[in-house]
Amino acid sequence: MILITGATGGYGNSTIHALLNKGIPASNIAALVRNKEKASDLKSKGIELRIGDYSDYNSLVKAFQGIDKLLFVSGNDIKARENQHKKVIKAAIEANINHVVYTSFIRNTSVEDSAIGFLQDSHAKTEKWLKESSLNYTTLQNASYFENIPMFIGENVLDTGVISLPAKEGKSNSVLRDELAEVTAHILVSEGHNNKIYSLTNPEAFSYKDVAEILTKISEKEIIYQSPKAEDYQETLKQYGVPEEYIELLTAFSLAQVKGELELSDNSLETLLNRKPTTIKEYLSNVFN
């Protein structure tokens, strides 16, 4: 039995569909959810729903019973994540889970020097705990998602004609989340992945200037990219009433891109997909054309 955590979120849900597309019977898939009502679509497909919360150790131990492989999708509560992840690993050990696949993030600099250290710290610690545990594990150091790009450049970028981010000429090897999920499903149902770490990135790196040029071509509207100072960028967002947590997140990832933290070339994704990953031009054409 395979248990998918974060089953109602984008990554977990996409992995479930990838497993079904591979012909894995729904009866062999379980979904960890906090609210069964929000997972009625999964239940209707014949997938077993198990109630559990990363903050509730006993619920995890109960939900993990009889599970052979676990997709451990990293928690989205950054402040609580370290403590939550400890509980997940401890519960997996107690439940005698055979193999844990963990979704981490690409890392090419030390946590101490990272512009997104608040995110990387819990990932690095979780990877360390898995290595030191008795569990078989696979760590997926995923690149950032293409799906986050509209949040960064603005949903109405074709109307505004401007991309404004303090990312300078920094580049990213972002990927399509559904393709990460497809690879995750492959790893969950195939052999040879025990105690391995995969960096899953796109072969093609791009900057926001590249994004502006691609959007200009596909929309036939001039889109310009400007890179203000971080403090000016933050002040502008405050004036538009953007919540502080989003301002911090957008700024941190932009600065990480300046430092090259989102740029990492690796062929693992292409190898595991057995095809070329979706390109940034293909993604933007699908979303903004």
Side-chain angles (χ1 to χ4, degrees), residues 2-207:
I2 299 171
L3 177 64
I4 307 298
T5 68
T8 57
Y11 198 109
N13 195 268
S14 185
T15 301
I16 288 175
H17 284 92
L19 287 169
L20 294 173
N21 289 338
K22 283 182 172 293
I24 304 302
S27 58
N28 289 353
I29 305 171
L32 185 74
V33 299
R34 286 181 293 181
N35 187 321
K36 285 187 176 181
E37 284 69 32
K38 292 183 178 180
S40 57
D41 61 322
L42 297 176
K43 185 177 181 180
S44 68
K45 291 180 172 65
I47 293 167
E48 178 185 348
L49 302 183
R50 298 196 177 191
I51 298 296
D53 190 305
Y54 283 179
S55 296
D56 184 346
Y57 177 74
N58 291 330
S59 74
L60 294 174
V61 174
K62 182 178 179 181
F64 290 174
Q65 295 303 309
I67 296 301
D68 179 49
K69 295 186 178 183
L70 172 72
L71 172 59
F72 175 11
V73 177
S74 56
N76 56 17
D77 185 339
I78 304 299
K79 293 181 179 179
R81 186 157 68 179
E82 181 177 332
N83 188 48
Q84 290 177 337
H85 284 194
K86 284 182 181 178
K87 292 179 179 179
V88 173
I89 293 174
K90 184 180 177 182
I93 294 170
E94 183 170 338
N96 294 313
I97 287 178
N98 179 49
H99 187 186
V100 175
V101 178
Y102 172 62
T103 65
S104 188
F105 194 77
I106 58 170
R107 189 164 57 254
N108 60 15
T109 189
S110 66
V111 172
E112 294 77 15
D113 294 330
S114 173
I116 49 173
F118 64 92
L119 177 82
Q120 294 285 28
D121 185 57
S122 55
H123 280 311
K125 287 177 178 176
T126 304
E127 290 182 30
K128 181 174 180 288
W129 296 331
L130 283 170
K131 287 181 181 179
E132 294 174 346
S133 76
S134 58
L135 297 163
N136 291 312
Y137 67 88
T138 305
T139 295
L140 309 180
Q141 293 184 335
N142 295 332
S144 55
Y145 305 155
F146 279 154
E147 288 85 351
N148 290 334
I149 291 176
M151 176 179 69
F152 279 84
I153 67 176
E155 300 280 354
N156 300 319
V157 64
L158 298 187
D159 295 323
T160 64
V162 177
I163 297 173
S164 180
L165 287 163
K168 298 184 180 178
E169 298 300 316
K171 294 190 174 186
S172 170
N173 290 84
S174 297
V175 294
L176 194 67
R177 184 179 60 203
D178 283 352
E179 290 181 340
L180 291 173
E182 184 180 340
V183 164
T184 302
H186 169 72
I187 289 171
L188 285 167
V189 299
S190 59
E191 301 299 325
H193 308 290
N194 282 359
N195 306 327
K196 290 190 176 182
I197 299 175
Y198 295 113
S199 292
L200 301 180
T201 72
N202 207 308
E204 176 190 11
F206 62 90
S207 67

Side-chain angles (χ1 to χ4, degrees), residues 210-223 281 285 289:
D210 295 326
V211 170
E213 290 175 353
I214 293 169
L215 288 176
T216 296
K217 289 179 181 178
I218 65 177
S219 68
E220 297 183 347
K221 297 179 180 179
E222 184 179 11
I223 309 297
K281 182 178 180 180
S285 295
N289 203 352

Side-chain angles (χ1 to χ4, degrees), residues 232-251:
D232 294 337
Y233 172 74
Q234 292 175 320
E235 187 59 36
T236 298
L237 293 188
K238 287 178 184 178
Q239 292 175 3
Y240 280 98
V242 178
E244 186 67 31
E245 60 184 300
Y246 284 103
I247 295 176
E248 292 177 359
L249 184 69
L250 295 170
T251 303

